[in-house]
Amino acid sequence: MSNDGKLTAAILVVSDTASKDPSTDKAGTALTDVFSSDGGEQWVVREPKIVPDDVLAIQREITGWCDGEDYVNLIVTTGGTGFTGKDNTPEAINPLIHRHAPVAVMSRPVAGVRHRTIIITLPGSPKGAKENLQSILKQLPHACKQAAGEDSRAAHIGGVKALELKAGMSTTESATKHGHHHHHHAHHHYGGHAGSNLRPNLPGQLLSSDPGQGVARRKRESQYPKTPMNEAIKLVLENTPSPKAVTIPADGGAVDHVLAENIQAEEPVPAFRASIVDGYAVIVDEKATNSPGTFPVVSVSHASRGEPRPLEKGEIARITTGAPLPPGATSVVMIENTEVRSETEDGKEEKEVEILTDKVNKGENVREVGSDVQVGDIILREGEEISATGGELGLLASVGKKEVLVYKKPVVGVLSTGNEIVPHDRPGSLHHGEVRDTNRPTILAAVEGWGFKTVDLGIATDEQGTLEQSLRDAMRRVDVIVTTGGVSMGDLDLLKPTIERSLGGNIHFGRVNMKPGLPTTFATVPFKNNSGESETRLIFSLPGNPASAIVTSHLFVLPSLQQSCGIRPIGLPKILVTLEHEFSLVPARPEYHRATVRVGKDGHLYATSTGGQRSSRVGSLKSANALVCLPAREGKLSKGEHIEALLMGKILGL
C-alpha cells in the first residue's frame, strides 16, 4: 500500500504494436480512467507499462511488481488473451500464479494471487477491458487487503452488507452484479467463506509445503509417497517427450546420434572396377586362366582421378591397390608373381615384365562395380546409432551421404542449489558452514560422457524468487534441468514448492523407495518457447548428497535422455557379478551399492564394495564402475553369491 493507506495498482499493456508505438495504446488509458472515476479514491495507479506479446517480457514486469517489498496490490493486464498464436499472456501469467481463481470465459482469462499481489488479465480492446474492470473494481479493495494479509475475521464484522457498504455497493447493485456479470461472480467467490474472501484453499494436488505460511506451519512429514523404483522409472519414461527428428551433417558431429530413417545407397561402392592388390592388369579369356610369359607394360593405373588407357590383348598395365582397371582388362596378377625383364632408357620405369603364374582366373583380384554396396541397398537402418568407431560414418561417406536424419539430442542444464554451496574452484579456504560444489562438475562430466551437450547453470541460493528465476531462465536454454539439493524437508528446501506453486509444474514423484536417493523428485513443467509453441521441460531434482546425486542421475536421468533421442536399449547395462565379500542388506529399501567390477582369471565378473556407503561420502564414488542391486531384506549376502549389477563404466581387467 501507499503511505496514505491507498491501494496501489499497476497496468500492463501487452501489445506488439503499442510496444513499438505507445501512442497507439488506448486500453491503458481507459483502465486508468476507470480507477479514477469508479475507484472511490482508494487507488494509486502507477504509470502503465507496455510490453510486446512475449512470455519472458511479460513475466519480468509481473515478477518485478510482485516479488519485492515495494509490491503492488493489484496488477491488471490488457491484451494477449485471444486465441491466435501470438496471444501469450495466459501462458506467461499462469505459471506465476501461486493460488488460482476460477474465472468465466472472457477470451482466455487468468486470475489469481502471487505472494501478496492479485493479478487479473483483461481483453485487449479498450471497451472490453474497461467494462470488465468496472464490473469488479468495487470488490477489489477488499480482495487486495485480504491478499496482503488483513485479518479475515475483523474484515467480516457486520457480514456481507457491511462489506458491500464499505465497497460502495447497494444490496440491489450486488444482486444485479451477481445475476449478470459472471466474470465478477467468479472473481468474487475466488476463495472460501462468506462469498468474499479471495484466499482459496490449496488445490488438493499440491503436496509441497507453502513457503508463504512460514516455518511453524510447514508440514512435519513428507506428503509424497515412497514410489517403488520400477514405478518411478515408468513415470519418468511415460513423461519423457518422444524423439524428434532433425537433419544434421554426416560428419563427426553425428557421432552418438540415432538414425531416424533407413539410409539407402544412391550410388554403388565401388563406383568403378578396382584392383584389390598391387600388380599388373591383364586380359584373361572367358574360360581359361592367364598364360605366363613376358609382356610389355603399356600404362600405369594409380588410385587417382582419370580414365586409364584401354588395354589390348598381349599387353599389361601396372596397377596399384584401389586403382581403376583399364578398359579391356579382366584380372590382376599380384606383383609377387612377376619379375622385371627390361627397363626404359632412363631406368625409371618397367618396360617388360614376366608373368610367372598361370593360375589367374578372369575377375581375380578385382572389385566389381557395386560388389560392396549396390544402388538401393539399405546400408543403415532407423534406430541404429552412429558410433565413434567410424564404421557408420565411413559407410555414409562411401555412398556420398552429406546429411542424415537423426533424433535430436536434448541439451541438459545442471544447477546446484543451497546457500552453503560455493564454486569448487573458488580460491582460498572455506568459511564456516560453506561446502564446495562437487555435484555440478560431477554430473556435468557424467552427462557429457553419455554423449549429451550440457549447460552449466551455476548455483542458486535458497530463496524462492531466486530459485524460480534460475529455473525460468534455464527453461529457455535447455531441454532437461538437473538440480541437486533442496528436495528434503528443511525450511529452505524450496524446489518442490517452487516447481508446483511458482512454475505450475506437475511433480510425478517426490520420493523414491531406494538407497541412496530417497527424496529424488521428477517433474514436468509446461513451457511456451519464443515462437509461441507449447513444450514441456523435464526437471530432475536430485538429493544434495554427492553419492545420492550421481547414483540417481545414472538411474533416472540417463534413461530419460536415451529414450528422448531414440537410443535402445535404455538404462545402464545389466551384468551378473560374483560378490568378493559379504554385503549387508537394508530391510526398508533396495540399495544401489557403489562397487568396483573386474574380470577374474576365470573370465567371470567380480564385485567389490568401494567402502562406506553413506550418501554424503564422496569417496564412495572413487573407482566405482557399477551399482550392485541389493534387495530390501534383513541379513547379508555371502561371498561368492551371484547378483545383478548395473554397469556405469568400463570393466577393469585382471
Side-chain angles (χ1 to χ4, degrees):
M1 293 186 184
S2 62
N3 292 332
D4 57 4
K6 292 185 178 182
L7 299 166
T8 55
I11 299 169
L12 183 66
V13 178
V14 180
S15 169
D16 288 337
T17 302
S19 68
K20 297 173 184 175
D21 181 5
S23 66
T24 62
D25 170 48
K26 307 300 180 188
T29 303
L31 293 177
T32 302
D33 292 344
V34 172
F35 279 104
S36 177
S37 61
D38 297 9
E41 299 184 351
Q42 297 189 67
W43 298 94
V44 174
V45 182
R46 296 187 179 181
E47 185 73 20
K49 289 190 176 182
I50 303 174
V51 296
D53 208 330
D54 174 77
V55 171
L56 191 57
I58 297 169
Q59 290 177 340
R60 282 174 178 161
E61 294 297 338
I62 296 295
T63 55
W65 280 329
C66 295
D67 294 358
E69 288 301 318
D70 188 29
Y71 69 93
V72 300
N73 299 105
L74 174 67
I75 297 173
V76 177
T77 75
T78 171
T81 60
F83 295 92
T84 71
K86 289 188 174 181
D87 290 320
N88 290 322
T89 301
E91 284 74 19
I93 301 295
N94 258 317
L96 301 181
I97 298 296
H98 292 161
R99 303 190 301 277
H100 282 266
V103 287
V105 174
M106 47 180 186
S107 297
R108 292 190 300 142
V110 176
V113 180
R114 179 177 175 85
H115 298 306
R116 293 163 291 184
T117 302
I118 290 178
I119 303 172
I120 299 170
T121 67
L122 299 178
S125 72
K127 183 175 184 294
K130 177 179 179 180
E131 291 179 352
N132 276 282
L133 182 58
Q134 285 176 326
S135 70
I136 60 175
L137 184 59
K138 290 185 178 180
Q139 289 74 48
L140 288 177
H142 172 63
C144 290
K145 291 174 183 177
Q146 290 284 284
E150 180 183 75
D151 180 65
S152 178
R153 293 188 178 184
H156 286 84
I157 293 174
V160 174
K161 288 186 178 181
L163 289 172
E164 290 174 344
L165 290 172
K166 191 174 181 180
M169 292 175 59
S170 67
T171 303
T172 303
E173 182 183 1
S174 172
T176 302
K177 288 187 179 292
H178 275 269
H180 299 287
H181 291 281
H182 296 292
H183 44 276
H184 153 60
H185 184 279
H187 285 288
H188 189 56
H189 289 288
Y190 172 76
H193 55 58
S196 54
N197 179 14
L198 276 181
R199 284 182 175 270
N201 295 321
L202 292 176
Q205 70 271 24
L206 297 183
L207 300 181
S208 58
S209 295
D210 183 356
Q213 292 184 340
V215 177
R217 294 186 179 182
R218 65 176 167 149
K219 296 168 182 176
R220 316 309 291 181
E221 294 182 2
S222 176
Q223 302 300 296
Y224 296 92
K226 293 181 182 179
T227 306
M229 186 66 183
N230 59 345
E231 180 65 22
I233 293 290
K234 181 181 177 183
L235 286 168
V236 168
L237 298 181
E238 286 177 348
N239 290 281
T240 295
S242 300
K244 293 182 179 179
V246 294
T247 300
I248 63 173
D251 56 21
V255 169
D256 292 334
H257 283 77
V258 175
L259 290 169
E261 65 176 353
N262 293 339
I263 305 295
Q264 282 189 304
E266 297 177 359
E267 58 188 43
V269 180
F272 53 85
R273 300 175 72 228
S275 175
I276 296 175
V277 297
D278 294 326
Y280 297 87
V282 299
I283 298 174
V284 176
D285 291 336
E286 184 73 33
K287 297 182 179 181
T289 58
N290 70 298
S291 299
T294 301
F295 299 90
V297 180
V298 298
S299 64
V300 178
S301 180
H302 289 131
S304 60
R305 297 179 183 176
E307 184 79 18
R309 170 188 179 282
L311 200 63
E312 302 290 341
K313 196 170 182 63
E315 299 175 334
I316 63 173
R318 182 157 56 87
I319 192 167
T320 59
T321 301
L325 260 68
T330 63
S331 312
V332 177
V333 178
M334 295 175 62
I335 193 171
E336 293 86 346
N337 295 323
T338 67
E339 286 185 1
V340 177
R341 290 304 178 206
S342 64
E343 301 174 350
T344 58
E345 290 182 3
D346 59 9
K348 293 183 178 180
E349 289 291 342
E350 303 161 339
K351 185 175 182 180
E352 292 178 316
V353 168
E354 182 179 359
I355 306 295
L356 302 177
T357 181
D358 61 354
K359 294 182 171 53
V360 177
N361 297 306
K362 184 178 181 181
E364 191 162 337
N365 296 325
V366 175
R367 283 199 307 158
E368 298 293 343
V369 173
S371 57
D372 290 350
V373 177
Q374 294 184 1
V375 174
D377 281 355
I378 295 178
I379 59 171
L380 291 170
R381 295 189 178 276
E382 185 275 332
E384 291 188 297
E385 189 172 349
I386 301 173
S387 69
T389 58
E392 294 80 14
L393 277 178
L395 193 53
L396 290 168
S398 72
V399 297
K401 199 72 176 174
K402 300 177 183 63
E403 294 180 326
V404 286
L405 190 69
V406 299
Y407 291 120
K408 182 182 177 183
K409 304 189 77 170
V411 178
V412 183
V414 181
L415 174 73
S416 288
T417 69
N419 295 335
E420 77 281 14
I421 303 299
V422 299
H424 72 283
D425 54 357
R426 191 194 71 180
S429 58
L430 293 174
H431 298 117
H432 185 70
E434 290 184 333
V435 177
R436 292 198 186 275
D437 187 358
T438 60
N439 290 338
R440 191 161 42 97
T442 302
I443 295 176
L444 283 169
V447 174
E448 289 169 5
W450 299 335
F452 297 90
K453 291 183 180 179
T454 62
V455 174
D456 186 343
L457 299 176
I459 301 170
T461 56
D462 289 323
E463 300 171 9
Q464 192 170 15
T466 301
L467 182 57
E468 178 187 343
Q469 192 59 50
S470 294
L471 292 173
R472 288 193 183 282
D473 291 342
M475 287 193 290
R476 297 203 168 275
R477 301 174 64 191
V478 301
D479 305 297
V480 177
I481 301 170
V482 179
T483 69
T484 60
V487 290
S488 295
M489 291 294 293
D491 56 296
L492 295 181
D493 289 323
L494 299 175
L495 263 164
K496 288 184 174 85
T498 299
I499 291 170
E500 275 194 331
R501 300 167 185 274
S502 300
L503 301 180
N506 182 12
I507 293 180
H508 300 284
F509 57 79
R511 291 196 301 170
V512 182
N513 191 43
M514 63 180 294
K515 179 186 178 183
L518 176 63
T520 300
T521 300
F522 169 64
T524 52
V525 178
F527 175 75
K528 198 167 188 178
N529 63 25
N530 290 330
S531 301
E533 299 168 332
S534 296
E535 297 181 355
T536 298
R537 293 289 184 261
L538 307 185
I539 299 181
F540 292 89
S541 294
L542 311 180
N545 282 324
S548 299
I550 194 64
V551 168
T552 52
S553 67
H554 277 87
L555 296 179
F556 296 107
V557 181
L558 175 60
S560 175
L561 297 179
Q562 290 173 328
Q563 178 169 292
S564 68
C565 65
I567 293 176
R568 296 187 290 266
I570 59 173
L572 296 173
K574 294 180 181 179
I575 57 175
L576 190 66
V577 298
T578 302
L579 302 181
E580 292 215 85
H581 54 78
E582 280 189 347
F583 279 69
S584 298
L585 301 177
V586 179
R589 291 177 282 164
E591 180 181 1
Y592 295 86
H593 193 107
R594 281 85 73 200
T596 301
V597 171
R598 63 173 182 84
V599 180
K601 292 181 179 179
D602 56 3
H604 295 163
L605 300 178
Y606 291 87
T608 304
S609 173
T610 57
Q613 297 290 298
R614 190 173 63 243
S615 60
S616 60
R617 184 171 176 265
V618 182
S620 67
L621 297 170
K622 178 179 175 293
S623 74
N625 62 353
L627 301 172
V628 176
C629 305
L630 300 179
R633 68 168 192 253
E634 297 279 358
K636 298 180 178 181
L637 294 181
S638 302
K639 176 181 179 180
E641 286 197 51
H642 303 298
I643 193 168
E644 189 177 88
L646 301 173
L647 193 62
M648 295 190 296
K650 296 178 181 178
I651 297 177
L652 303 180
L654 297 174

